[in-house]
């Protein structure tokens, strides 16, 4: 990413939270394969609920897009979320998680409410700003964990999915929307991006607090 791009400026301004997420016990448990299975199962179920809201936010952004090119981009990004949901359904099937019966936790609802409220009330570019931290953070975390060679343990598929270049490409497509339609930083954009990063950290914390 070019340093002077708004999307990069937002990401760099939140490196403290990115590093906090990387060192988080939940993320480190994924990295080493030592994360308790019940915590990952809770996370998968909550993330599936989150991704459904994420797809809806993309759809709202597409409907409000300022031009056809932007509409097509957001529509295609929705497809990426649906693919990601398939991975969660595979985990759910393997681990006996009933996704249809999932009740969102406080951290999950806080995040999804924020995204959907932003999508309904804000301009399309602000929705992109609010959604970008999820993609960029996951890409970065997985790439940091993967390093030069993927570790082999129960969470290898998670690391492989988010460190793959195809997920990086989705991340860049969303960030391109920010850079195209937001010529310079605004307080509203900075606040939305920061809030989403805080929600990401809390999402990991909520999962790490689940006991057997």
């Amino acid at each position: 990413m070019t340093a002077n791009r708004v999307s990069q400026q937002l990401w760099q301004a939140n490196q403290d939270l990115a590093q906090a997420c990387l060192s988080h016990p939940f993320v480190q448990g994924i990295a080493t394969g030592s994360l308790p299975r019940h915590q990952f199962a809770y996370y998968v179920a909550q993330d599936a609920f989150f991704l459904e809201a994420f797809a809806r936010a993309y759809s709202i952004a597409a409907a409000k897009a300022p031009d056809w090119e932007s509409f097509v981009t957001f529509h295609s990004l929705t497809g990426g979320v649906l693919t990601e949901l398939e991975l969660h359904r595979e985990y759910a099937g393997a681990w006996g998680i009933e996704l249809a019966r999932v009740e969102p936790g406080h951290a999950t609802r806080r995040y999804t409410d924020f995204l959907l409220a932003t999508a309904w009330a804000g301009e399309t570019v602000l929705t992109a700003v609010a959604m970008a931290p999820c993609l960029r953070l996951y890409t970065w975390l997985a790439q940091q964990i993967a390093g030069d060679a993927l570790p082999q343990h129960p969470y290898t598929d998670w690391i492989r999915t988010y460190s793959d270049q195809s997920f990086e490409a989705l991340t860049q497509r969303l960030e391109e929307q920010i850079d195209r339609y937001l010529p310079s930083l605004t307080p509203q954009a900075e606040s939305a991006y920061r809030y989403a990063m805080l929600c990401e950290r809390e999402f990991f914390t909520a999962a790490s607090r689940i006991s057997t």
Side-chain angles (χ1 to χ4, degrees):
M1 292 185 292
T2 306
N4 63 353
R5 288 172 53 185
V6 171
S7 61
Q8 175 69 349
Q9 292 176 50
L10 288 166
W11 171 245
Q12 289 300 326
N14 288 276
Q15 281 302 290
D16 59 326
L17 291 174
Q19 292 292 337
C21 288
L22 179 61
S23 61
H24 197 287
F26 183 88
V27 175
Q28 285 302 304
I30 288 179
T32 61
S34 62
L35 183 71
R37 287 175 62 92
H38 69 275
Q39 291 184 1
F40 190 73
Y42 175 85
Y43 159 83
V44 166
Q46 293 297 307
D47 203 38
F49 181 91
F50 168 81
L51 287 172
E52 290 180 3
F54 208 72
R56 292 178 186 274
Y58 269 148
S59 296
I60 297 167
K64 297 171 68 175
D67 54 48
W68 184 252
E69 183 178 348
S70 183
F71 171 83
V72 171
T73 296
F74 279 105
H75 183 71
S76 65
L77 286 168
T78 305
V81 179
L82 298 179
T83 299
E84 193 177 347
L85 271 168
E86 284 303 312
L87 173 65
H88 287 63
R89 292 192 179 99
E90 289 175 13
Y91 277 127
W95 293 7
I97 305 168
E98 295 185 52
L99 294 181
R101 300 180 61 182
V102 171
E103 291 292 332
H106 175 73
T108 306
R109 181 64 78 180
R110 177 189 179 197
Y111 202 172
T112 57
D113 285 354
F114 160 68
L115 288 178
L116 291 172
T118 301
W120 281 118
E123 296 181 359
T124 300
V125 68
L126 188 62
T127 304
V129 168
M131 299 177 77
C134 178
L135 277 74
R136 176 50 63 193
L137 179 65
Y138 271 52
T139 298
W140 181 77
L141 290 174
Q143 289 174 352
Q144 295 299 307
I145 293 170
D148 296 328
L150 282 170
Q152 298 300 312
H153 53 58
Y155 308 122
T156 299
D157 285 345
W158 187 96
I159 300 169
R160 179 184 293 111
T161 295
Y162 296 114
S163 63
D164 190 81
Q165 283 302 306
S166 62
F167 197 78
E168 171 71 33
L170 290 174
T171 303
Q172 290 180 5
R173 289 198 74 187
L174 181 58
E175 289 175 337
E176 286 167 1
Q177 291 295 299
I178 298 173
D179 299 325
R180 180 178 178 184
Y181 296 102
L182 191 66
S184 60
L185 286 175
T186 65
Q188 191 177 22
E190 291 176 305
S191 176
Y193 199 98
R194 182 76 177 178
Y195 189 85
M197 287 290 289
L198 288 167
C199 286
E200 287 291 341
R201 184 182 64 180
E202 184 57 30
F203 201 85
F204 294 139
T205 298
S208 68
R209 288 174 176 165
I210 298 300
S211 58
T212 54

